[in-house]
Structures are given as C-alpha cells and as structure tokens.
Amino acid sequence: MVAKLFVKQLLPVFLWAGFSYSLSAQITYTIEYKDSLSSKIHISITPTQPQKGPLTFVMPRSVPGTYSMISYDNFIEAIHGISTNGKKMDMRKDDNNASRWYCTDTTNTISQIHYTIDLKKMEGRLDPSDASIIRPGFIGLLNYSILGWIEGAIKEPVQCTVHTFNEWPIFTTNHPSTQMVKGAYTFSASNYY
C-alpha cells in the first residue's frame, strides 16, 4: 500500500522537482558598469552550485570566425574567488602563461569568481573589431572579450545580467528588441557559446 502511494503520488512530485531544478540550474554571469569616471567593468560568475577546489577559470584567446589568437586574458585584473562564507580566495595565473587561473584552495567551497576588465586598455591594444569599447555614454561589449568560463561548465545553460546607469538602454544580439530595457537586463542562453 505504501509503495503504491509513493509511485502514484510522491514519485511524480520528486520527478517534477528534479526536472524543475534542471531547468533552473544555470551559470550566472553579472556584468556591472556604474562608474562613469572609470573604464573598468566588473564581472562575476556564479556556478550552478558552489564548487570545492581546485577550480579552473578559462579566458578565450580567439575570436569566432577567425584563426587569430588574441590574449584577452591580458586585460583581466583583480581576479579572485569568493567562498560560501564570504572569504576572498586567491586565484593564480597559469605558470606557462596559458589563459587560465587556478583556485587551489581545497578547504573552502567557491560560490563566485570576480574580476575586472579595463576596456580603455583593451581598446588601446587591440584592433577595434576584436575589442570591447567604451565611449562617453556608451559601452560595446563582445562577450568573448570579457567573459570566461569555469572549466567543465562551458555547455551549461547561462543567465547573464547587465547592471548599468538607469538611463542607459541595453541591447543584446542574443535577444534583440526594438524596445530596449534601461539600467538592468537579464537574458539567458543555452550555453557559453
């Protein structure tokens, strides 16, 4: 009798809960630019679940549709992890200058990765077609020039939120619209690419 009750009433609830979780489990990227005197944007990446170290962060070195190598990792500054208890965790650049950073702390669980990118520095060193740009009242961001990924999670669903000045319209080619939202916008993609 108990087994029948489980199969008929409780099993569907567990299956629905598991399915709902898998639909909502996404890596969250947050891009913030709210200081008009700075050319730096702030990025945070939150994995679907906190991760025990070691953890590897990867920054791309190529532009889709080309064969050139571009060291976008040279523009990353102040990269660090945040533990589930709020502790700042060191991330170290690969010794062979690969576009990777490692958090080797195995005692804490990583809940986020934070870093900044200086857009003016990027624009000054790269071809304009390969760089994100900044102008008074405007920034243009190429996702592959500012967003890296956590190794092993590149194919997971992604949610991205942009926070900027309340009067700035936000446009994305992932979900283009003639009615642009201002100040903050969240959109999703099936994976990093």
Side-chain angles (χ1 to χ4, degrees), residues 2 36 45 55 90 174:
V2 172
S36 62
I45 304 171
L55 178 132
D90 290 333
N174 288 61

Side-chain angles (χ1 to χ4, degrees), residues 11-109:
L11 184 59
V13 170
F14 289 126
L15 290 175
W16 177 81
F19 180 70
S20 297
Y21 173 76
S22 68
L23 287 178
S24 64
Q26 307 179 83
I27 294 176
T28 303
Y29 286 81
T30 304
I31 302 167
E32 184 172 300
Y33 179 71
K34 290 194 166 194
D35 181 358
S36 62
L37 300 178
S38 173
S39 62
K40 295 183 180 184
I41 58 170
H42 301 277
I43 311 284
S44 67
I45 304 171
T46 306
T48 54
Q49 295 180 346
Q51 310 226 339
K52 244 347 196 174
L55 178 132
T56 302
F57 170 78
V58 182
M59 191 68 183
R61 279 195 171 171
S62 62
V63 176
T66 69
Y67 296 101
S68 61
M69 296 287 288
I70 301 171
S71 296
Y72 291 119
D73 52 304
N74 289 338
F75 306 106
I76 291 184
E77 301 174 358
I79 187 168
H80 61 278
I82 300 290
S83 71
T84 52
N85 62 4
K87 178 184 172 200
K88 190 173 179 178
M89 302 171 69
D90 290 333
M91 294 190 74
R92 121 187 116 67
K93 180 86 159 78
D94 184 88
D95 291 335
N96 296 313
N97 202 31
S99 59
R100 298 168 178 271
W101 285 260
Y102 305 101
C103 183
T104 57
D105 183 334
T106 57
T107 59
N108 290 291
T109 304

